[in-house]
Amino acid sequence: MWTEIEPLLDNVQKPARYIGGEGGAQEPEHASDKVAWLLTYPDTYEVGLPNQGLQILYEIVNERDDAVAERSYAPWTDMEEQLRAAGLPLFSVDTHKPADAFDIIAFNLSAELTYTNLLNCVDLAGAPVRAADRTPEDLLVIVGGHCTYNPEPIADFIDAVVLGDGEEVIGEITDVVHAWKNNDRAGGREAVLRQLSQLEGVYIPSLYEATYDGQTLVSVLPKCDDVPERVEKRTVADLADWPYPKHQLVPLTDVVHDRLNVEVFRGCTRGCRFCQAGMITRPVRERPAEQVRTMIAEGIKRSGYDEVALTSLSTADFSGIEDVIKDTMDDPSCSQVSISLPSLRVDAFGVGIAAELQRGRRSGLTFAPEAGTWRMRQVINKLILEEDLYGAVDSAFSQGWRRSKLYFLTGLPTETDEDTEGIFELARNCVKIGKKYTGGASVTVSVGGFVPKPFTPFQWFGQNTVEELRRKVGVLLEQNKISRGVQFKWHDPEATLVEGLMSRGDRRLGPVIEDVWRNGGVFQEWSEHFDLQRWLDACERHDVDIEWYVYRHRTEDEVFPWDHLSAGLHKDFLWQEWRDALDEVGLEDCRWTPCYDCGACTGYGIEHVVASATPPAGGSQGTGQNLAVGGAVPVELLSKSGAVVG
Amino acid sequence: MIVRLRFTKNGKIRFIGHRDVARIFERALRTAGLAVAYSEGFSPRPKVAFGLALSVGYESDNEYLDVVLAQPEDLEDVANRLTAALPAGLDLLEVGEIDRHANSLMEAVTSCEWVIDLATDDEAAVRASVDAMIAADRVVITRERKGKTVEDNIRPDLLSLKVSMNPETSTARITAELSTEGRSLRPAEFLGALEPSFEVTRVRRTHQWISHGDTRIEPHEADVSRAAHPNVGAS
Ligand code: SF4
């Protein structure tokens, strides 16, 4: 339908969002007996294109003979208006086919505030937004990504949910849909969903019934015997088997993270108690260093990028990090390439590596201490000593960086004003350190409101109220007045409230989401479109007590809306972690200390895949030292040769 | 060694912006293994220079880019390697070496020729409107300059206007040569000054001219010692 879309593009901002044609893009040939996937990111092209999960699946599906995959992204409001006025549906950017030319529309959900966009995309695709209203000819709506560990708020709108890594299960889903489609869709939607429910890692919300006792959720149980009582996540045991994306997409226009991205490991066992990503992706699975090197060299050659990011939840912990960096910098074909580590560990070792890597201009380095006092950091198990941070900042400023950015959370369990003010105490000390090296030293403090997430030790915690978060922002603003050289940024507490509602909500939120969407509430991640009143009004219309969902502390016997799903973690492990948090007791990293049986490996018969048995140098963060004192920080800087420092 | 690249911007890729084109060339030069010279200083930039920016949505038969290569290369080879590295629609037409002292594209180009397709099939109405503009002594438009609204007479910038029918679509077409000296006259500004205004379907830059008195040449003919023509469209 390109000829119909083309004239609309003169009337919209950033028309390059809709043209496709990226380096690495495919134009797969559809056929009536093939299964066609429309892989969709429910936010703008710029945010969605770099999504590695979708790019991996795009390649895996297109390698099959019996399936094709194309991509689409949520059209911005101006384009949506154009499409609706012209009576045109959502389309793929690869060959510009209408959404109804596909069998499956699959979404990556990485943020709760995109839920209304999901509804909008399904509606634009021409399918009924409620799964119950769809016919066998309508699209199957499948979701994956981190938010799907509690998909209950969107249960009404989706047909199937994938928990965990998608590399293997996407093939199994394709097989099932292929057989069904080529058998005249026998048995209708009911039949194919029932078969999908038999796949490990696939959850079919419509095959489960939620029961309540007044406000309280009693259970979510399968409606039939052959449907599993509990759906377990999928875990790819060895990343070496999946060297994807092999042809990372190279966009023609501006996107976020516009560089080569190579995933060096998946999972994290540092055990930060607020961090859902760390908990649900256990255990650690490293990519062999040799494969990382090949992916860098080939990716750079093919894409023409001059920057590669080594991605993971904590890249300095990659056991092959020094070798990979050294080899890449010594490789003549990578001579112009700079390497970046998006997740920098807070210590001098991390900065030492960053210094080796970053050629050219040194503008800013970002660290995430997350909390302002050691007491608070013990509660959240982010075991960074003040000295670690100061060492990191000293190292950064002494090696030419002029700005540091520090990330914090506020609204954490047991947080006092002393903890909140501690954020600025750290920041002021960092500025002081910076001034030793440059008069223009500045530190940016960025503070987000904490949202308790499913499958974390903090899932029992009642989130801070909007008023309380606002008050804390006020405390921080007071501090900001007396802190020269510190810039302060904070996240809107109102958006934090809605995130909290979605994060731990249940099926009764479906009507609220639909209401907000019907009243025009799309792109809620974007402050220019977010409007809390719309959510409050919808909650009121549908009798949803937002405070009960968000602010209430849960007790040990609470039945969670996600109790019938599993990320492998034992609930009693999480509960013990919650108690330990309140007692300010830390927990070591199980990569280098004995397993404490959280369930992520033990339950699935897998284990860590780590190339080196010794912990990486530097830092006190779970490397086996006495956690209460942190221990020395052995910093080993790589040789200076090879780095061009501007 | 400075090479002047001549290329198209056609089809879907017409919707990307000027900076996007620059980034694509930066990557393509690297993929092609061509080392570009960098500026000195605190934050070195690759030494590449584009001509007049083309608005998002417009097509072009003749775009130019000057690149300073760090070492001498065979032009034929440059053409073939770059052609393979560029996306569809940015088709390389020609690679020539230019003199170190050649004027920059921005300074050298004095006018551009545009082919503007309109939605209307009423050729007579378009002709009447264009004729009226040609007959006028002054054609005044308002522009923003440094935050202030100013009035400019664009009549001297209208070098040639012709009206015809596009045989493929049977709609009216204006072929306009607009000056780029001083404040470059944009097709949108010219179209906005037509009475009544017409709906535009397609705008294409067909030529960029360098005029010296009575003679005029195109940038790929200026100070070019040798030129190589790759197979157009092959990639
Ligand atoms: S099961 Fe044991 S080794 Fe595996 S992540 Fe949990 S604690 Fe660590």
Side-chain angles (χ1 to χ4, degrees), chain A residues 2 6 250-253 304, chain B residues 12 14 20 27 30 202:
Chain A
W2 172 249
E6 191 174 17
V250 185
L252 300 175
T253 187
Chain B
K12 289 176 184 163
R14 72 188 169 100
D20 297 331
R27 285 197 303 257
R30 279 196 295 264
R202 207 94 163 181

Side-chain angles (χ1 to χ4, degrees), chain A residues 268-269 282-284 569-570 573 589-591 593-603 606-608:
Chain A
C268 178
T269 43
R282 291 174 168 223
V284 170
L569 304 158
H570 301 313
F573 158 76
D589 189 321
C590 61
R591 236 171 309 185
T593 54
C595 166
Y596 42 74
D597 188 20
C598 74
C601 309
T602 33
I606 50 177
E607 50 189 31
H608 294 305

Side-chain angles (χ1 to χ4, degrees), chain A residues 7-18 76-83, chain B residues 15 56:
Chain A
L8 309 183
L9 297 185
D10 287 327
N11 311 326
V12 300
Q13 292 170 23
K14 303 190 184 175
R17 288 167 165 166
Y18 311 104
W76 190 248
T77 47
D78 57 353
M79 184 61 174
E80 181 194 346
E81 222 169 86
Q82 295 282 323
L83 287 171
Chain B
F15 290 110
V56 173

Side-chain angles (χ1 to χ4, degrees), chain B residues 89-220:
Chain B
L90 291 184
D91 298 323
L92 196 63
L93 301 173
E94 199 169 344
V95 180
E97 183 176 355
I98 58 166
D99 192 81
R100 262 187 336 119
H101 306 292
N103 273 338
S104 81
L105 286 160
M106 285 286 214
E107 292 160 0
V109 172
T110 51
S111 66
C112 291
E113 184 182 283
W114 302 90
V115 170
I116 301 161
D117 281 312
L118 303 175
T120 178
D121 59 0
D122 189 347
E123 189 188 351
V126 177
R127 192 177 297 281
S129 172
V130 167
D131 284 348
M133 191 179 274
I134 293 171
D137 291 337
R138 289 169 60 80
V139 178
V140 176
I141 64 167
T142 55
R143 283 166 163 166
E144 292 282 317
R145 190 174 295 153
K146 291 183 185 147
K148 277 191 287 183
T149 309
V150 295
E151 297 207 324
D152 282 335
N153 174 21
I154 60 164
R155 180 62 190 84
D157 299 327
L158 303 169
L159 305 182
S160 153
L161 297 175
K162 292 190 201 104
V163 177
S164 60
M165 286 298 271
N166 176 347
E168 277 166 39
T169 54
S170 303
T171 51
R173 164 181 278 182
I174 303 173
T175 306
E177 188 184 335
L178 308 180
S179 169
T180 60
E181 286 180 290
R183 176 135 174 183
S184 179
L185 176 58
R186 297 153 184 273
E189 291 169 334
F190 152 68
L191 288 161
L194 279 178
E195 281 290 346
S197 61
F198 298 96
E199 192 191 328
V200 179
T201 53
R202 207 94 163 181
V203 180
R204 170 189 296 271
R205 175 146 71 190
T206 47
H207 294 283
Q208 304 194 34
W209 296 112
I210 301 171
S211 297
H212 301 289
D214 283 346
T215 59
R216 65 175 192 180
I217 56 169
E218 296 194 71
H220 58 280

